[in-house]
Amino acid sequence: MRTTTTRIAGAGFAAAAAMALSIGPAFAADGSVSANLRPVAGNGVQGSGTAMVDVKGDTITVTMAANGLLPDNPHAAHIHFGASARHECPILSDDKNGDGHLNTTEGGPAYGDIVVSLTKTGDTSPKSGLAIDRFSTAPGGKIAYQRGSIKVSSAVAQAISAGESVVVIHGVDYNKDGKYSGATKSDLMPSLPTEATDPALCGALRAAPVGGMHTGGGLAADSVKTGGQNEALTLLGGGALLAAAGTGAFAARRARSRA
């Protein structure tokens, strides 16, 4: 596990460096962006949610709530960005292996690599994509999350403010057996079934309209914004998220494919 985590972390840092070079001199821009979290095409999730990110300099505050997830099982959640990505959620035509589902790597061209791991405590960089002990579970299939003072690079802050990042929650249950199972293995960690790491809910972060977050497609977004974590917990009945297996190793995956 530690070796795999280190390898994925290296890929994440390489992607971050390439991103910074590709977008030129970066500057942090204050602002707020929000997203409606909706089911990823083809992955059989019936949930929904909202997310909001406030950017102040090189510090962000993230508020997120979601429901309809596999109850009491690990769910990784991240902010994704890629300079060459489409800055959107994947569509079914991104399914390159033709199995009718979208795995994390197939979603990469749409949303890019991990730039922020939405952990409860400690490090929030891409290297914490596999920090299982610092994410949390989804009691009853519901999560509520709020964390401030998350430090990011000026390049990442600018990308988020510019509406070029995407929130993704991972973990699905194709066969509806209440756990991560099945013969198909994860594209990120072959020791896990693909259900553990495939994207479940996704939402592109865009500039919030006057008066609050985008509405529709899930929870009462303005209530999440104005009430913070307590209101989100009230809306969802409590809980937070736990990561089963991190993501963001698209660069490493492509390298292995070429080898």
Side-chain angles (χ1 to χ4, degrees):
M1 173 69 78
R2 187 175 298 276
T3 300
T4 302
T5 303
T6 301
R7 183 169 62 250
I8 291 178
F13 288 134
M19 174 192 70
L21 289 173
S22 65
I23 65 177
F27 59 94
D30 294 354
S32 294
V33 290
S34 63
N36 290 319
L37 305 180
R38 296 187 173 93
V40 172
N43 286 5
V45 177
Q46 300 299 315
S48 61
T50 54
M52 184 179 73
V53 181
D54 287 319
V55 182
K56 293 188 181 300
D58 61 355
T59 302
I60 65 173
T61 297
V62 179
T63 304
M64 179 174 65
N67 58 27
L69 298 166
L70 178 60
D72 306 311
N73 277 265
H75 291 279
H78 314 96
I79 298 175
H80 290 250
F81 168 76
S84 60
R86 303 195 306 264
H87 311 142
E88 64 185 25
C89 294
I91 56 178
L92 202 53
S93 60
D94 290 314
D95 172 27
K96 301 306 180 186
N97 65 12
D99 66 354
H101 303 304
L102 290 169
N103 62 33
T104 301
T105 300
E106 289 171 331
Y111 46 63
D113 293 284
I114 293 173
V115 291
V116 181
S117 295
L118 298 177
T119 56
K120 295 186 299 181
T121 61
D123 177 68
T124 55
S125 74
K127 70 181 181 181
S128 288
L130 288 175
I132 296 172
D133 59 331
R134 291 189 287 110
F135 291 88
S136 57
T137 57
K142 304 170 185 178
I143 65 172
Y145 176 91
Q146 186 177 57
R147 184 171 178 182
S149 302
I150 299 174
K151 292 292 186 179
V152 297
S153 70
S154 58
V156 168
Q158 175 62 21
I160 293 173
S161 291
E164 297 178 345
S165 61
V166 179
V167 171
V168 182
I169 299 176
H170 302 261
V172 302
D173 184 18
Y174 295 130
N175 58 15
K176 307 302 180 185
D177 66 353
K179 59 185 178 181
Y180 296 137
S181 61
T184 303
K185 299 302 181 181
S186 167
D187 54 316
L188 302 178
M189 182 178 289
S191 62
L192 295 172
T194 195
E195 289 186 342
T197 57
D198 283 2
L201 299 178
C202 177
L205 289 163
R206 302 291 189 246
V210 175
M213 292 174 59
H214 298 290
T215 57
L219 306 170
D222 285 315
S223 296
V224 175
K225 177 183 178 183
T226 57
Q229 186 178 24
N230 290 337
E231 181 66 17
L233 287 167
T234 300
L235 286 169
L236 293 172
L241 78 154
L242 168 69
T247 59
F250 307 122
R253 175 70 175 177
R254 290 193 292 268
R256 288 196 300 270
S257 298
R258 291 195 296 268

